[in-house]
Amino acid sequence: MKSKVKKAMKYIYILLLIAFIVNVLKTPIKTGFNQLFPPNKSNRNIMTEKEKLDDFEYFYNTVSSSMPMIDKFKDAYGFNFVERKDYYESMIKQTKNDIEFYSVMQAIVREIPSFHTDLIYPEDQNGLYCYNSNKINTNRKYISNSTYWTELINDYNEKNDTEYYSFLYYDGSYIFNPDESDNNSFNDMTVNMIDNISVDEYIKTNLSVYNLYYDGKNKKPYRSRIVFNSKVGKEHDIILSSANGSTSHIKLKIDICCDELFLFKDTILNKTPDNYKEVFVCEGNNISYIKLDSMSPYLAEETKKAIQSLKNNNVIIDLRDNYGGDNEFAEKNIYPELFADDIKEIHYSYIPCTKYNQVFTDDIFNKMVLHLKKTKSNPYNNMPMYRATKKNIYKGKADSNKKVIILISQNTGSAADNFVSDMKKNNLAVIIGNNTGGEGLMYSFCEQLLPNSKLSFIYMPCGAIDYEGVDNSVYGTSPDYYTASEITLNNLYSCSNLDELCEIDNTIRFAFELFK
């Protein structure tokens, strides 16, 4: 009898091993097949209104049911995505072709100010590593349609010859930026009103493809920019103001398609500065400055060596353009050489029990690593959710704690936000800048495929409240000292010492003054 049980167990182990191997090899096999025999471009017809609305409905149902913090954004941004369904549907119905549908869907998705929620640009199909991404990236219909959408966008972009006028957000105002505009018509001017509505109210009540952020310094939401054009879209009455207090009335147009395509022009956010380095170190005045723009595993060794080589006990870590990466990156490559203390942080996040989130909650690895447990006790609502547990264990190797200042912005998110939050909670660093993009206290995000267009989108299925009692997705991590919520315009990488950095960057100069 015992021998039969042993034999049965042996077969079970073999079957489990085979199942594990097949699961591990499934994605590389599909990827290899798709590379050898790439699918043809989809010969799709223009989407019907019903197909467009069905795609929107799929996205709406996913995020409204599966993002626990979806209602919390209203606290900071002044509107509720879920309550605007009729408005979004009306915008979908107004689209006349596929490129308009694509642009409007981008704008609708960006009504959700979540760091990990976005409609994926077709050419970026292989750049994601999140839940369900392997399944989507190897889907032949998805690949086939991605070619169609990419060509459609590029073709429209080539034919569009309108003039653009870009106003970037800086410290509470939208200021004309000649570097992104086709002429210098509105130098030193800011947008005051659009169609007799204050610009702050306009950005909340009108769709735009430019991301929404929260400016903690000025206590209001904002978009990264407002862009007008000369030829396409609805004409608007705009009031501009100058530094001397004078105002100008002009008429220009705004168009969602033009806005979406403008993002792929040579904008400030897309420019790669001269001498750019993902890990950049500058020394001077008994202060070490290090700029880290990623926490991806491929930068682990370079980052560790750079931290180890810092010459001073006063350290500025610039994470203003760090979108995150590996959850354990900071624990292994940043923290050890800066601090002597060992600390452990435990973060709890909550995932709604919905069919869309099953790619996350049904994952055996997640269940074990995150200790997923069903609970009705959560900070969001009484619906059944899973509670996930994430640990960050930091082991210090330094003889004593260095004096550390961390610079943050709306572009600091995910794993970078996690590190900032943990350092702030333990009083190990002074935090300067503006609220981060957040979403570092939870684990990862999910990807889903729209049923008709075969465009994909990502969303954050987890919600978390930080140690200060605020929602990590809505407000991110706040700084100890606020500075302007600015987009980095200057070329920091050409500087050879800290004095030069201070001359061109107000936030770095503020940090430098704190060390005095």
Side-chain angles (χ1 to χ4, degrees):
M1 185 68 179
K2 286 185 179 179
S3 62
K4 289 183 178 180
V5 172
K6 286 184 177 180
K7 188 177 289 185
M9 290 300 295
K10 181 180 178 181
Y11 287 133
I12 290 172
Y13 288 139
I14 292 173
L15 288 172
L16 287 173
L17 180 61
I18 291 172
F20 175 77
I21 293 172
V22 169
N23 187 60
V24 169
L25 295 178
K26 181 169 57 177
T27 297
I29 288 172
K30 285 185 176 180
T31 301
F33 181 81
N34 289 334
Q35 290 174 343
L36 287 172
F37 307 101
N40 295 323
K41 183 186 76 171
S42 170
N43 293 317
R44 57 179 304 123
N45 296 316
I46 295 175
M47 293 180 69
T48 65
E49 182 178 287
K50 183 179 185 306
E51 288 175 330
K52 295 174 187 176
L53 289 172
D54 285 347
D55 272 12
F56 164 75
E57 187 82 15
Y58 186 88
F59 171 76
Y60 178 87
N61 289 341
T62 301
V63 299
S64 62
S65 67
S66 304
M67 294 180 70
M69 79 299 288
I70 192 70
D71 295 326
K72 298 282 188 183
F73 288 109
K74 187 174 183 177
D75 297 341
Y77 291 85
F79 70 90
N80 189 321
F81 175 88
V82 176
E83 295 170 351
R84 286 187 172 183
K85 185 179 182 183
D86 291 345
Y87 169 54
Y88 300 139
E89 286 181 337
S90 70
M91 294 298 293
I92 293 289
K93 289 178 182 178
Q94 291 176 39
T95 61
K96 302 181 186 66
N97 50 49
D98 285 358
I99 190 67
E100 288 187 8
F101 167 74
Y102 172 81
S103 300
V104 168
M105 274 302 299
Q106 282 283 17
I108 290 172
V109 173
R110 287 169 186 162
E111 289 273 278
I112 302 175
S114 159
F115 196 80
H116 293 98
T117 300
D118 207 356
L119 189 71
I120 303 305
Y121 181 60
E123 281 190 343
D124 295 337
Q125 65 185 57
N126 293 317
L128 291 177
Y129 298 96
C130 60
Y131 289 101
N132 213 35
S133 62
N134 285 338
K135 182 178 179 181
I136 291 175
N137 290 342
T138 55
N139 183 308
R140 290 179 68 80
K141 287 186 177 179
Y142 173 61
I143 298 171
S144 176
N145 280 273
S146 291
T147 304
Y148 165 80
W149 287 107
T150 300
E151 291 183 359
L152 185 73
I153 294 165
N154 290 339
D155 183 58
Y156 186 86
N157 204 6
E158 289 176 3
K159 294 177 180 177
N160 186 4
D161 62 349
T162 186
E163 289 187 343
Y164 289 102
Y165 308 93
S166 174
F167 291 77
L168 286 177
Y169 183 84
Y170 176 78
D171 197 19
S173 301
Y174 296 88
I175 303 174
F176 182 70
N177 178 45
D179 293 333
E180 284 188 351
S181 303
D182 288 309
N183 59 54
N184 297 334
S185 301
F186 311 112
N187 259 354
D188 301 320
M189 304 198 81
T190 62
V191 182
N192 190 7
M193 300 186 78
I194 302 175
D195 295 335
N196 294 316
I197 301 171
S198 71
V199 66
D200 290 334
E201 188 61 27
Y202 181 87
I203 62 105
K204 293 189 292 183
T205 54
N206 289 268
L207 278 183
S208 172
V209 301
Y210 305 117
N211 285 325
L212 276 165
Y213 300 105
Y214 182 72
D215 180 351
K217 179 186 177 187
N218 293 287
K219 299 291 186 291
K220 66 179 183 180
Y222 69 96
R223 294 193 186 271
S224 59
R225 54 170 58 74
I226 298 172
V227 178
F228 303 101
N229 78 83
S230 60
K231 293 184 180 180
V232 185
K234 179 184 174 183
E235 189 171 74
H236 296 270
D237 293 311
I238 304 151
I239 299 178
L240 303 177
S241 58
S242 63
N244 62 17
S246 63
T247 60
S248 299
H249 292 252
I250 60 170
K251 290 183 181 293
L252 287 172
K253 297 182 177 183
I254 295 177
D255 179 73
I256 291 178
C257 278
C258 286
D259 280 358
E260 176 61 29
L261 297 172
F262 180 81
L263 287 174
F264 298 97
K265 289 170 65 68
D266 194 23
T267 63
I268 289 293
L269 292 183
N270 292 332
K271 284 181 179 177
T272 301
D274 296 336
N275 309 315
Y276 173 72
K277 296 178 181 178
E278 288 179 294
V279 180
F280 173 66
V281 176
C282 198
E283 305 274 2
N285 301 99
N286 298 316
I287 298 172
S288 295
Y289 167 89
I290 180 168
K291 191 172 192 295
L292 304 172
D293 286 355
S294 176
M295 291 188 176
S296 295
Y298 76 93
L299 283 174
E301 196 60 33
E302 183 180 354
T303 300
K304 183 185 293 185
K305 288 180 179 178
I307 295 288
Q308 289 173 341
S309 68
L310 297 180
K311 299 175 181 178
N312 301 288
N313 287 325
N314 297 322
V315 178
I316 299 172
I317 304 175
D318 193 341
L319 301 181
R320 287 178 294 174
D321 295 308
N322 195 307
Y323 281 81
D326 180 20
N327 181 61
E328 297 180 345
F329 187 96
E331 298 171 33
K332 296 177 178 179
N333 306 302
I334 300 175
Y335 185 90
E337 303 299 328
L338 297 177
F339 302 103
D341 304 326
D342 293 346
I343 61 172
K344 181 171 76 172
E345 288 297 331
I346 298 177
H347 303 291
Y348 297 109
S349 58
Y350 298 87
I351 308 104
C353 300
T354 68
K355 64 179 181 180
Y356 307 102
N357 286 346
Q358 285 179 343
V359 293
F360 186 97
T361 58
D362 287 357
D363 186 281
I364 295 175
F365 177 81
N366 278 349
K367 287 183 176 181
M368 293 188 298
V369 173
L370 299 178
H371 306 288
L372 292 180
K373 293 181 179 179
K374 279 191 177 180
T375 178
K376 283 189 176 180
S377 176
N378 65 76
Y380 293 98
N381 53 50
N382 292 321
M383 71 176 289
M385 291 193 185
Y386 283 96
R387 189 185 80 171
T389 304
K390 184 166 76 77
K391 297 180 182 179
N392 291 105
I393 300 173
Y394 302 89
K395 293 188 177 295
K397 294 182 179 179
D399 294 332
S400 60
N401 291 344
K402 296 185 186 301
K403 294 180 180 179
V404 176
I405 290 175
I406 300 178
L407 311 184
I408 60 172
S409 77
Q410 75 278 1
N411 292 332
T412 309
S414 199
D417 168 69
N418 188 173
F419 177 60
V420 173
S421 178
D422 289 346
M423 296 305 98
K424 182 181 178 184
K425 179 183 178 183
N426 288 277
N427 295 313
L428 290 169
V430 175
I431 315 300
I432 297 175
N434 215 302
N435 293 53
T436 69
E439 297 191 345
L441 306 185
M442 47 283 276
Y443 200 58
S444 192
F445 53 100
C446 293
E447 185 175 11
Q448 297 284 1
L449 196 63
L450 296 178
N452 298 308
S453 63
K454 301 304 178 186
L455 293 165
S456 77
F457 66 93
I458 56 174
Y459 72 98
M460 174 52 76
C462 314
I465 307 298
D466 71 13
Y467 75 97
E468 295 180 306
V470 301
D471 191 285
N472 186 238
S473 291
V474 178
Y475 295 99
T477 301
S478 61
D480 297 304
Y481 297 94
Y482 278 102
T483 57
S485 182
E486 60 184 310
I487 296 170
T488 303
L489 303 178
N490 297 305
N491 185 5
L492 304 177
Y493 309 95
S494 62
C495 297
S496 59
N497 57 65
L498 197 61
D499 286 333
E500 293 180 5
L501 284 172
C502 289
E503 286 179 9
I504 65 172
D505 193 295
N506 293 330
T507 302
I508 295 175
R509 182 163 61 250
F510 185 87
F512 174 79
E513 293 295 328
L514 282 184
F515 275 131
K516 284 187 175 181

